[in-house]
Amino acid sequence: MHVQEWLETVPAVAVYALVGVVIGLESLGIPLPGEIILVSSALLASQHGEIDPVVLGASATAGAIIGDSIGYAIGRKGGRPLLAWLGNKFPKHFSEGHIATAERSFEKWGMWAVFFGRFVALLRIFAGPLAGVLRMPYWKFAIANVLGGILWAGGTTAVIYYVGIVAESWLKRFSWLGLVAAVLVGLTSMMVIKRKAKKAQQAQQAQPVAVAE
């Protein structure tokens, strides 16, 4: 069953709770489709008056901020052994190449990696735990976490909600175009991320050889 069709069968309170919990767990470091749930719920809110977009956005924002904060605390306490454990549990998401890519983003951008990472699927999972592992000062993390959570969760809800209202009839007629576009964007993003992760992993594996020479 499609996500949106399933959401139509549950009460509005359950939708708010589901969005907050799924986004919170994703932000904590567990690979879950938080963005898909949020987009589907916001689109549903534009079509049905039972779901309040303001409450929905607030639930998503709270889940994002709280989840990232818990992830930071776990990462700070667990350290690098935590990343190794996550790599064993979720090898597709926490591979050495993905971790190396995320670490380079943190080294380059600092607290902004937490902020902008909210908008990137790979960094959205890594941001909290990795910031803790790298012992980023909490005040920097908190500022980036709160601002990023509000802008991503609230902004996504608002944009999808108003687009759904304005283009509801268009979407019904040409929904297959949206599906094709979403698939193409998703595949392109995944290919780019995988390529970067593969290059980072190859560079990491080649580094000891260069030193030995």
Side-chain angles (χ1 to χ4, degrees):
M1 184 181 294
H2 191 274
V3 173
Q4 188 174 345
E5 293 176 351
W6 179 79
L7 289 172
E8 291 178 353
T9 65
V10 300
V13 175
V15 174
Y16 304 144
L18 178 67
V19 168
V21 170
V22 171
I23 291 178
L25 291 176
E26 182 189 38
S27 302
L28 190 151
I30 299 176
L32 291 174
E35 193 168 30
I36 294 176
I37 294 294
L38 178 58
V39 169
S40 298
S41 300
L43 189 58
L44 183 63
S46 70
Q47 300 170 354
H48 300 277
E50 293 84 1
I51 299 177
D52 188 333
V54 176
V55 178
L56 179 65
S59 300
T61 301
I65 294 173
I66 294 172
D68 244 15
S69 299
I70 296 175
Y72 174 89
I74 294 175
R76 192 174 181 88
K77 184 176 181 180
R80 292 201 172 270
L82 174 65
L83 296 180
W85 181 83
L86 289 172
N88 292 328
K89 292 292 183 180
F90 308 104
K92 291 184 179 180
H93 298 84
F94 288 88
S95 65
E96 292 182 2
H98 287 169
I99 293 175
T101 300
E103 284 186 333
R104 283 206 307 274
S105 299
F106 270 73
E107 291 173 359
K108 183 176 182 180
W109 299 105
M111 63 182 289
W112 293 109
V114 177
F115 177 83
F116 290 112
R118 181 61 64 183
F119 301 88
V120 181
L122 177 64
L123 288 180
R124 187 161 55 246
I125 299 173
F126 277 106
L130 190 56
V133 170
L134 298 178
R135 296 193 172 276
M136 177 183 291
Y138 182 74
W139 67 271
K140 289 185 177 182
F141 169 79
I143 292 174
N145 178 32
V146 171
L147 293 179
I150 292 174
L151 189 60
W152 174 74
T156 299
T157 303
V159 169
I160 298 299
Y161 175 76
Y162 286 112
V163 167
I165 290 179
V166 173
E168 182 176 0
S169 60
W170 187 90
L171 288 173
K172 286 181 178 178
R173 293 180 182 180
F174 303 101
S175 59
W176 64 273
L177 291 176
L179 177 61
V180 171
V183 170
L184 290 177
V185 171
L187 289 176
T188 302
S189 301
M190 185 174 296
M191 289 175 63
V192 171
I193 291 173
K194 284 187 175 181
R195 180 178 294 181
K196 289 184 178 181
K198 186 176 181 180
K199 286 183 178 179
Q201 189 170 11
Q202 290 175 346
Q204 189 177 23
Q205 291 175 349
Q207 187 175 2
V209 177
V211 172
E213 293 177 352

